[in-house]
């Protein structure tokens, strides 16, 4: 049931855009333990809750509440998550400035994710396995390692930096070949695939995958097959199903 | 929700609960629709976690960290008779077919008997039910 924007006194927190006539989940609380409500405008709506000005907003609990709500909603209905921490000063602005001007884009975005969930696949090199691999191939690195053995960081800092650089470069060189089969095989069982930025030298790849519900089982099996095939050199981690955080339109 | 079948035992995939804070921070914190005009409240109270997730790859700290990991690895290899066979097998394997060697080694360790020397068959029987039945060596 949609509330009238005029009922809201102050700031409003936004979770995600949903099709009109979506019901807010009654069993889940939002940020600051507030109830979650729906503001509608024609064919689209947004899940919101009132912000309590006397409480801190932006705590880890708020982030968990934000994602738990969106993930739960995504199981029932298409949803376009808003970035965590989106707050508008008054409810009237939700319809006037957000829903009304981009209604078409939201409707198209909702259609795009309808019947899908997001999974995130993170692949990292098994550090020991691959460092061992690099050291056996690089006499220079093996030599530096011998110089470092039994010394303190102060004694051999330049050699350590040099060794680390060689190892990091070795990991970087191995990354494209390790990532390629993962991308290739996941493309076959996903509707869309987005690559996240790598954070560490031993990261192989992190992919957000948009997966149709009826393909979920096949997708999970492919991930499992990949993990088995590249064990123990690579480690696989799979998070999901979640709301499609990576598959929202630009507005 | 019917999708998440828990394949805990025998799975090579780590499947954490989606609601762990570290995962949420890493995976979704900067994602979603951004409505520029509006205040974006930022996450408070877990600075360490977020900074940690954004380490730059090419930095001296990173190099020192990987040098240390390599150093430790070397020590473990010298005194490491307790390392699993597959690890030493790999190190001795030289440059030809290391990856294959490692996979085979693990397959041997995890899969008793029948299908350890035949990749083709392994692929056609992805459930590996045999493992459960014959746990003897």
């Amino acid at each position: 049931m949609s509330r009238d924007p005029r009922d809201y006194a102050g700031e409003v927190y936004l979770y995600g855009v949903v099709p009109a006539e979506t019901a807010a989940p009654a069993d889940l609380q939002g940020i600051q333990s507030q109830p979650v409500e729906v503001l509608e405008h024609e064919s689209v709506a947004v899940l919101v809750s009132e912000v309590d000005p006397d409480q801190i907003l932006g705590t880890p609990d708020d982030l968990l509440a934000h994602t738990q709500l969106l993930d739960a909603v995504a199981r029932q209905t298409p949803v376009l998550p808003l970035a965590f921490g989106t707050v508008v000063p008054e409810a009237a602005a939700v319809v006037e400035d957000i829903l009304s001007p981009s209604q078409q884009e939201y409707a198209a975005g909702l259609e795009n994710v309808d019947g899908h969930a997001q999974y995130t696949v993170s692949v990292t090199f098994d550090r020991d396995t691959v460092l061992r691999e690099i050291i056996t191939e690089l006499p220079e690195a093996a030599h530096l390692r011998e110089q470092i053995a039994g010394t303190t960081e102060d004694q051999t800092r330049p050699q350590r930096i040099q060794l680390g650089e060689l190892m990091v470069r070795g990991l970087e060189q191995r990354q494209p070949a390790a990532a390629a089969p993962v991308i290739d095989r996941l493309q076959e069982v996903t509707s869309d695939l987005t690559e996240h930025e790598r954070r560490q030298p031993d990261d192989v790849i992190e992919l957000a995958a948009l997966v149709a519900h009826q393909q979920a089982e096949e997708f999970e099996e492919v991930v499992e097959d990949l993990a088995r095939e590249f064990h123990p050199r690579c480690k696989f981690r799979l998070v999901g199903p979640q709301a499609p955080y990576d598959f929202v339109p630009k507005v | 929700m019917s999708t998440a079948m828990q394949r805990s035992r025998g799975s090579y995939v780590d499947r954490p609960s989606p609601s762990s804070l570290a995962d949420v921070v890493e995976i979704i914190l900067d994602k979603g629709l951004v409505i520029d005009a509006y205040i974006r409240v930022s996450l408070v109270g877990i600075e360490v976690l977020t900074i940690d997730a954004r380490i730059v790859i090419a930095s001296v700290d990173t190099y020192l960290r990987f040098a240390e990991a390599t150093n430790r690895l070397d020590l473990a290899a010298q005194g490491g008779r307790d390392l699993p066979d597959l690890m030493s097998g790999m190190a001795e394997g030289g440059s030809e077919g290391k990856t294959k060697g490692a996979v085979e080694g693990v397959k041997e360790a995890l899969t008793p008997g029948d299908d350890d020397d035949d990749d083709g068959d392994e692929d056609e029987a992805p459930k590996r039910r045999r493992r459960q039945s014959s746990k003897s060596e």
Side-chain angles (χ1 to χ4, degrees), chain B residues 4-132:
Chain B
M5 32 177 164
Q6 294 305 329
R7 264 180 287 196
S8 46
R9 200 176 321 226
S11 174
Y12 290 94
V13 180
D14 176 23
R15 291 204 66 168
S17 146
S19 52
S20 102
L21 186 59
D23 280 322
V24 170
V25 168
E26 267 192 39
I27 294 172
I28 73 110
L29 185 56
D30 293 328
K31 306 285 159 44
L33 282 167
V34 177
I35 315 275
D36 278 336
Y38 292 103
I39 319 158
R40 292 198 46 216
V41 173
S42 54
L43 190 58
V44 292
I46 53 164
E47 282 79 5
V48 178
L49 208 54
T50 45
I51 290 166
D52 221 40
R54 274 147 241 263
I55 285 170
V56 192
I57 288 179
S59 75
V60 166
D61 279 350
T62 305
Y63 295 152
L64 288 173
R65 214 151 41 81
F66 277 82
E68 187 52 36
T70 309
N71 195 21
R72 264 205 313 272
L73 176 77
D74 190 42
L75 292 174
Q78 274 165 12
R81 288 305 106 200
D82 54 326
L83 279 178
D85 287 349
L86 64 103
M87 289 302 259
S88 54
M90 241 205 62
E92 286 154 21
S95 53
E96 38 34 294
K98 253 181 309 297
T99 310
K100 186 160 188 281
V103 173
E104 299 283 311
V106 163
K107 243 196 273 168
E108 251 167 63
L110 296 178
T111 318
D114 44 10
D115 53 3
D116 52 347
D117 53 2
D118 195 328
D119 276 310
D121 282 350
E122 179 80 0
D123 286 340
E124 278 158 32
K127 298 294 177 204
R128 292 176 309 161
R129 32 195 127 58
R130 273 160 280 169
R131 276 183 45 212
Q132 251 91 351

Side-chain angles (χ1 to χ4, degrees), chain A residues 11 17 56-60 63-64 67-68 75 80-89 93 97-98 106 119-120 127-129 131-133 135-137 145 148-149 153 157 160-161 163-165 167-168 171-172 196 198-202 216-217 220-221 223-225 227-229 231-233 236-242 245-246 248-249 251, chain B residues 1 3-5 7 10-21 23-36 38-46 52-57 60 62-77 83 86-87 90-91 94-95 98-99 102-103 106 110 122-123 125-128:
Chain A
E11 290 184 327
V17 176
I56 298 172
L57 178 60
T59 62
L63 179 62
L64 287 177
T67 55
Q68 277 160 6
R75 274 173 231 137
L80 301 174
L82 281 146
F84 173 72
T86 307
V87 174
V88 294
D97 297 350
I98 296 175
Y106 294 144
Y119 289 79
T120 307
R127 191 181 284 191
D128 284 4
T129 304
L131 291 184
R132 206 177 280 274
E133 188 183 303
I135 207 108
T136 50
E137 279 177 24
R145 176 213 53 191
I148 290 169
E153 192 184 314
R157 191 176 159 88
R160 282 163 189 266
I161 293 172
L163 174 63
E165 205 174 345
M167 302 313 275
V168 167
L171 288 162
E172 298 283 312
H196 289 171
R198 291 169 58 245
R199 288 177 286 252
Q200 301 288 339
D202 43 2
E217 203 172 314
E220 292 183 13
E221 275 170 22
V223 175
E224 186 65 44
D225 288 348
R228 176 151 31 98
E229 188 174 331
H231 180 88
R233 197 167 178 260
F236 281 68
R237 199 172 152 79
L238 178 63
V239 177
Q242 288 189 295
Y245 300 95
D246 276 82
V248 295
V251 288
Chain B
M1 150 183 75
T3 31
M5 32 177 164
R7 264 180 287 196
S11 174
Y12 290 94
V13 180
D14 176 23
R15 291 204 66 168
S17 146
S19 52
S20 102
L21 186 59
D23 280 322
V24 170
V25 168
E26 267 192 39
I27 294 172
I28 73 110
L29 185 56
D30 293 328
K31 306 285 159 44
L33 282 167
V34 177
I35 315 275
D36 278 336
Y38 292 103
I39 319 158
R40 292 198 46 216
V41 173
S42 54
L43 190 58
V44 292
I46 53 164
D52 221 40
R54 274 147 241 263
I55 285 170
V56 192
I57 288 179
V60 166
T62 305
Y63 295 152
L64 288 173
R65 214 151 41 81
F66 277 82
E68 187 52 36
T70 309
N71 195 21
R72 264 205 313 272
L73 176 77
D74 190 42
L75 292 174
L83 279 178
L86 64 103
M87 289 302 259
M90 241 205 62
S95 53
K98 253 181 309 297
T99 310
V103 173
V106 163
L110 296 178
E122 179 80 0
D123 286 340
K127 298 294 177 204
R128 292 176 309 161

